Amino acid sequence: MESLRKIDFSILHEKHGLTALYFITPLFDGQGLCINELIFGLRIAPNTTLFVEQKLKEDIATLLPSEYMHVEITLFLNAGSEVDSIMDWSIRPYAHGHGGDIALDSIREEEGVVVVTLVGSCGTCPSALGTMRYGVESLLKGYLPWVKRAEATNLPEEPDFDIHW
């Protein structure tokens, strides 16, 4: 994995006119032994054709070490699909296991802010503050270099136990 992080993708910026392209993370199998999919952040024009997208995947594959040639390359055309994908495989299963969900509300990418809505039991959970700070925000910041903060539209207030120091 370290060899992947050292790949210089700058030639793809020039060739495809990208404004951003970065390696997000590999997904490992259950044993953590094999990379099955490589995920890249990608910003290209919304009207990009499937042909151009396929060509970009081929160009990325030429930069990869030979041991990664078998993997599927996933590209995201916008910030919303990136955030949703990461939440689908990392955050939402946890929320679903507790009878709730986390829905993407909005993104202010220029500010690095992702706004979510806590749904079901997540919206009233006493651990919602911790879930937002140490779950949602830290995961998104860890995977997406442009994220600076995650906010919830309906975050419960911290309880006041009438303890004053």
Side-chain angles (χ1 to χ4, degrees):
M1 181 168 118
E2 209 46 49
S3 62
L4 290 173
R5 295 198 185 276
K6 294 178 182 176
I7 297 173
D8 179 10
F9 293 111
S10 60
I11 191 165
L12 297 177
H13 283 276
E14 298 160 16
K15 184 174 182 179
H16 294 282
L18 304 176
T19 57
L21 174 67
Y22 49 88
F23 175 68
I24 295 177
T25 186
L27 295 179
F28 294 92
D29 66 7
Q31 309 269 323
L33 301 174
C34 174
I35 295 177
N36 299 318
E37 181 179 17
L38 294 177
I39 300 176
F40 293 85
L42 174 64
R43 295 291 182 280
I44 57 179
N47 59 351
T48 300
T49 65
L50 202 51
F51 173 79
V52 171
E53 190 175 329
Q54 185 57 40
K55 180 67 177 137
L56 181 55
K57 285 182 180 184
E58 291 169 8
D59 287 350
I60 289 171
T62 63
L63 297 174
L64 298 176
S66 59
E67 64 265 28
Y68 299 108
M69 294 314 246
H70 69 285
V71 300
E72 178 183 340
I73 296 172
T74 300
L75 304 173
F76 299 107
L77 299 176
N78 59 53
S81 61
E82 278 181 341
V83 170
D84 265 334
S85 178
I86 289 170
M87 289 197 322
D88 282 347
W89 58 261
S90 64
I91 298 167
R92 286 191 178 117
Y94 175 80
H96 293 165
H98 292 97
D101 199 0
I102 300 173
L104 179 60
D105 185 77
S106 64
I107 294 175
R108 299 189 309 266
E109 190 175 2
E110 61 285 345
E111 297 172 43
V113 177
V114 175
V115 181
V116 298
T117 300
L118 303 174
V119 181
S121 64
C122 288
T124 57
C125 178
S127 299
L129 293 167
T131 299
M132 278 301 299
R133 182 173 296 131
Y134 302 110
V136 177
E137 184 174 84
S138 69
L139 278 166
L140 292 177
K141 286 168 69 174
Y143 287 114
L144 300 171
W146 57 267
V147 173
K148 293 179 181 59
R149 188 173 76 248
E151 301 173 352
T153 59
N154 59 336
L155 196 60
E157 290 185 31
E158 285 192 57
D160 181 4
F161 297 110
D162 200 29
I163 299 173
H164 304 284
W165 302 98

